[in-house]
Amino acid sequence: MGDSAPSFAFHDLAPSQESFRDAVIAGLGREPKSLPCKLFYDARGSQLFEKICELPEYYLTRTEIAILDRFAADIAQRIGPHCRLIELGSGASHKVRILLEALERPAFYVAVDISREQLRRAAARLAGDFPKVNVVAVCADYTRPFMLPPLPGPDGKRVGFFPGSTIGNFEPRQVVKFLSDWAALLGPGGEMLIGADLKKDPKILNAAYNDKAGRNAAFNLNLLVRINRELGGDFDLDRFAHVAFYNESEGRVELYLKSLAEQTVSIAGRQFHFGAGELVHTENSYKYAIEDFRALAEAAGFEPVHTWTDRHSLFSVHYLRRA
Ligand code: AVJ
């Protein structure tokens, strides 16, 4: 391990094309129809998501970045030296730069993401910019069990980094299972830094997921474009619409693709019927009051150590330690 030569390793555990086809066929064969939100992130979907992050209405990304910027020194001090940072759903790896700059001699940065080319590009660039950090990219679907590659060298603390409110895509009971699995994986002394979107005025939430520029719509509809391209589907994009709203009693934003007419679509040699107005569920994005999220973390065997928020209480960053 050189002291300053960039170190970059790539591990490909990418889900297969068959698993995409199986997920689509199973999801559209179900009643009501639903497609898992991880299917959004082909190369184009990852780009479209980055464009959502720049929207004036989509407060999540910039607010979380502001929190990380403002409290970076405090976060770094709590984490301490030589840590091994493992990021789930690393995307473009923008946010972790704030941590890597503030941390004292971080030893490893492991980036886990389902979007292979974006991951490769982002991790390679990061390795160039942080030559003292061992950068390891793992292309995997982290909602399923996978093996972390060995992280050699002196045994620093393992810290899971899960920003962006991606945790909001899980059902609350899945959050507990997911965090319990991570508690085991991080080992004794392991910690997590998790971004969670807060409950707030539904008007703000509805605007964030129904932006004027139509980027949320393009992102949602891109799933049909992906099915057409990769599975030989014949979705007519003009006959589906983006639907998103805050479901207050469930505490989540729900996304759907709405069929605008009665129609039959063929995908991978199969026929799927859609009624006029029928909804295909594509995503849930849960919003958590600070205490509610802490209770889930505790149920998963973590001790909530600290929570940082912005001045307007739009977003929260939780720091958890394995109890
Ligand atoms: C990446 C899951 C955090 O829920 O806000 C953005 C994805 N979906 N617009 C979110 C998303 C529609 C996003 N997360």
Side-chain angles (χ1 to χ4, degrees), residues 41 49 52 58 60 164-166 169 209 216 219 255 283 285:
Y41 299 94
F49 178 66
I52 288 175
Y58 195 77
L60 289 82
S165 196
T166 312
N169 284 152
Y209 293 87
N216 277 281
F219 174 72
L255 258 73
E283 186 171 38
S285 186

